[in-house]
Amino acid sequence: MHFMHSSAHSSIQTVYARSEAGYVGRNLPSADQRLDINGLVWGFAEEIGSPAYWAAQAWMWEVEAPAHYKLGRSLEEELIACLLGGYGIPAEVGLAAYERLRAVNAESPCRLLDEEFVLELLADPLDLNGRLVRYRFAKQKSAYLAGSMRALRSLDREAPDRELRDALTALPGVGPKTASWIVRNWRDSDCVSILDIHILRAGRMLQIFPEGKSVERHYLELEGAFLDFAEAISVKASILDSVMWMNMRQIPAAILRRLADPSAEVFSPKAEPIQLSLAL
């Protein structure tokens, strides 16, 4: 469990996290101090969606679980996990499919080069705690996965993070988001970011993403804005996008609507400190 308490003074805010070793603290700038980006002010650490809030949340996760997002023990396993997850696939279903294919890859990796065999694996119902569910897009993802596993063999694995990300986008079914997800997980990379709907919402609330820009057409520009924000609040981008994703998924829709509407009454800066628990 993560615990946060902050105390605000004229010059600093002190944020505390509770870990197994006891309490540790970090100082953040005062709530009214400006960041060197888009005229943003730090805000209060307990103010959901403020720069100080994201800095505090990312720091707490880095203290307790710096590599909590890593799924595989090889580049192949990260490719499998990220290709089978993503839009339209519930996390628990994607993870169950990943575990099934990962076991096959560990014993006989050549079998995942066969699209028909991969389709059989994905088409067979998955057991989720005694409940049988079917994996969506089994035919499409089996073609993507078998083709990507074949192409991965000729990839330069020693390429720098961004070059590796760009090379991965040439694989079947792998766009900039999935490629960035693979590289972030495998390399603990702070040179790329995973831009999905949750990150976009958080970034738009912060007004760090330019109006009218979309992931489909302006991925690199939006990624640059995200990385600049991570640097401005002095947190690892690899931690920040994971923390934003987890937080934004758990914040109730009604609160998100209030946060997104500047004219709405949102949260008082004097609100009680927030305690937030997020499952890995």
Side-chain angles (χ1 to χ4, degrees):
M1 178 177 178
H2 294 269
F3 171 83
M4 180 176 75
H5 175 78
S6 67
S7 59
H9 304 284
S10 59
S11 58
I12 63 168
Q13 301 180 74
T14 305
V15 179
Y16 299 95
R18 184 174 62 203
S19 67
E20 293 181 0
Y23 285 96
V24 291
R26 179 184 176 182
N27 291 336
L28 298 174
S30 63
D32 59 358
Q33 183 170 321
R34 292 195 177 274
L35 286 80
D36 188 22
I37 180 172
N38 286 13
L40 284 173
V41 295
W42 275 88
F44 288 88
E46 64 266 28
E47 182 185 353
I48 295 176
S50 71
Y53 174 83
W54 292 124
Q57 292 292 319
W59 170 71
M60 287 191 290
W61 276 103
E62 188 173 5
V63 167
E64 293 198 14
H68 61 275
Y69 45 73
K70 199 163 191 175
L71 296 169
R73 296 168 296 186
S74 67
L75 183 58
E76 284 81 4
E77 289 190 358
E78 288 296 344
L79 171 67
I80 294 168
C82 296
L83 257 180
L84 293 179
Y87 180 77
I89 307 294
E92 65 273 16
V93 175
L95 287 172
Y98 160 67
E99 290 296 342
R100 177 178 288 176
L101 270 66
R102 184 177 70 84
V104 172
N105 185 66
E107 294 182 3
S108 183
C110 290
R111 303 201 73 184
L112 296 187
L113 307 180
D114 181 347
E115 179 182 337
E116 291 302 317
F117 179 70
V118 176
L119 178 57
E120 290 179 14
L121 292 174
L122 292 180
D124 194 29
L126 299 161
D127 186 348
L128 295 184
N129 298 318
R131 180 170 60 95
L132 294 180
V133 299
R134 291 193 176 274
Y135 180 85
R136 294 181 67 190
F137 317 124
K139 186 170 179 61
Q140 180 188 62
K141 290 295 183 81
S142 61
Y144 288 163
L145 198 140
S148 291
M149 292 292 280
R150 291 193 294 267
L152 193 60
R153 294 183 160 197
S154 60
L155 220 63
D156 179 7
R157 297 171 181 242
E158 303 304 316
D161 291 357
R162 288 186 184 175
E163 291 181 19
L164 178 59
R165 188 269 304 279
D166 294 344
L168 285 167
T169 62
L171 273 55
V174 179
K177 173 193 164 186
T178 302
S180 299
W181 191 6
I182 295 167
V183 172
R184 191 283 304 271
N185 285 9
W186 182 239
R187 293 269 185 89
D188 297 331
S189 176
D190 296 311
C191 298
V192 300
S193 62
I194 308 160
L195 302 180
D196 74 348
I197 186 61
H198 302 295
I199 307 300
L200 286 175
R201 284 175 180 159
R204 285 170 179 158
M205 289 175 188
L206 287 161
Q207 299 183 343
I208 62 172
F209 292 150
E211 286 293 330
K213 303 293 184 179
S214 68
V215 168
E216 293 76 18
R217 298 181 59 189
H218 309 97
Y219 196 97
L220 296 182
E221 183 177 350
L222 294 173
E223 177 182 66
F226 177 87
L227 297 176
D228 287 346
F229 176 71
E231 182 178 2
I233 63 173
S234 301
V235 301
K236 289 169 63 67
S238 56
I239 299 286
L240 180 62
D241 66 18
S242 178
V243 165
M244 277 187 170
W245 181 81
M246 288 185 289
N247 271 257
M248 295 298 286
R249 288 179 69 239
Q250 294 192 13
I251 296 172
I255 294 178
L256 287 177
R257 285 193 295 270
R258 293 172 66 193
L259 287 168
D261 182 0
S263 66
E265 181 183 351
V266 188
F267 296 96
S268 166
K270 304 303 182 183
E272 289 299 312
I274 294 168
Q275 296 186 31
L276 183 61
S277 177
L278 299 174
L280 291 178

